[in-house]
Structure formats: C-alpha cells, structure tokens
Amino acid sequence: VRDLKELHAIHGYIDSFFTCADCRAHFLSMAERMQLLQITDQQTAVLAFWEAHNQVNARLAETIHDPYFPKVQFPPASLCAECSASPSGQFDTDHVFGFLMRHYRRVLTPYGKLRISGRNRRPKKRERRDAI
C-alpha cells in the first residue's frame, strides 16, 4: 500500500463485486468500524488489513474446520516468534508490521516474473563483447 489508493480500490472491489452477501456485509461493516477509508499512512493501512484478516479468521474458526487452510491468527509463532512475544498473547504490532513487509515483499506478477515491491529495477543488459 503505497499511496493508499489501494485501500479505496479494495473497498470498491469488495463493495461492487463480492458475490457472497454475508462476506461483503461483514467486510463493509468492519471497514466502517475501522475507518478504513480515512487511513492516511502505510503502516496503519497494512496493520488494518492484518487485523481484519485475523478478525475474520477468529470468526470463521468457530464454524469452519479446514485442515488445508486452518483459520488461525497470523503470523503464527513458527513464522515470527517476536510478533507475539508478550505473555498475554497480544501481538507486537511493530514486529508484525516489519514481518509483513518482509514476508510479502516478493510478489509474482501475472506473467510469472518476480518483482520486488518498492523497487522498479530492470536487469541491466550485458554488453556483448566479441572476441578479438
């Protein structure tokens, strides 16, 4: 989430195209409660989606038991021990933000090419040198 246009795009997509009416209503209600469209900085935006994801997983864990896609709080300690280091089990949001930025930094484009988020680099063309 760079210039926060993504927040409006995701909200608009879910509002307009989600076919599951319950999922749509839950998301829109959550977005309103979290004041999602009023967020103005990247860290708050990333953590808002992370928090929403964990809220949905907590709600779904009560009724859905899928061994392939377990509805657990993310990230689990096996991926980020520092993220939930407090004795009360509360997440450390500074560590969570750092983890999320590292974990999701590498993104595959629809064409399968690896793109590093935050960088717009093209590999340099090697000069062809003919043997003399």
Side-chain angles (χ1 to χ4, degrees):
V1 180
R2 277 202 219 302
D3 57 12
L4 304 175
K5 289 180 184 175
E6 291 91 342
L7 291 173
H8 292 270
I10 292 168
H11 186 277
Y13 176 83
I14 291 172
D15 189 21
S16 300
F17 298 109
F18 254 39
T19 56
C20 172
D22 287 339
C23 299
R24 179 181 170 276
H26 279 123
F27 175 81
L28 294 175
S29 173
M30 184 182 304
E32 188 173 325
R33 265 193 330 274
M34 298 173 84
Q35 298 182 336
L36 190 66
L37 296 178
Q38 283 75 44
I39 292 174
T40 59
D41 68 281
Q42 181 183 25
Q43 182 168 351
T44 304
V46 168
L47 290 174
F49 278 109
W50 163 75
E51 183 181 342
H53 175 271
N54 278 348
Q55 286 179 20
V56 169
N57 271 359
R59 184 173 48 80
L60 294 178
E62 297 173 5
T63 58
I64 297 174
H65 304 285
D66 184 344
Y68 297 106
F69 298 100
K71 304 303 176 202
V72 297
Q73 298 300 284
F74 188 83
S78 61
L79 289 179
C80 182
E82 302 84 22
C83 292
S84 58
S86 76
S88 66
Q90 294 295 314
F91 283 99
D92 179 317
T93 55
D94 288 332
H95 279 102
V96 169
F97 178 72
F99 168 80
L100 293 171
M101 296 305 288
R102 288 186 306 278
H103 188 72
Y104 291 108
R105 183 175 160 181
R106 294 178 182 262
V107 178
L108 287 177
T109 68
Y111 305 104
K113 295 180 182 178
L114 184 66
R115 177 179 164 168
I116 306 297
S117 295
R119 297 183 189 173
N120 194 7
R121 296 175 32 188
R122 288 186 175 172
K124 293 181 181 178
K125 292 183 181 179
R126 295 183 185 255
E127 292 181 27
R128 183 175 174 206
R129 296 185 180 174
D130 294 322
I132 299 179

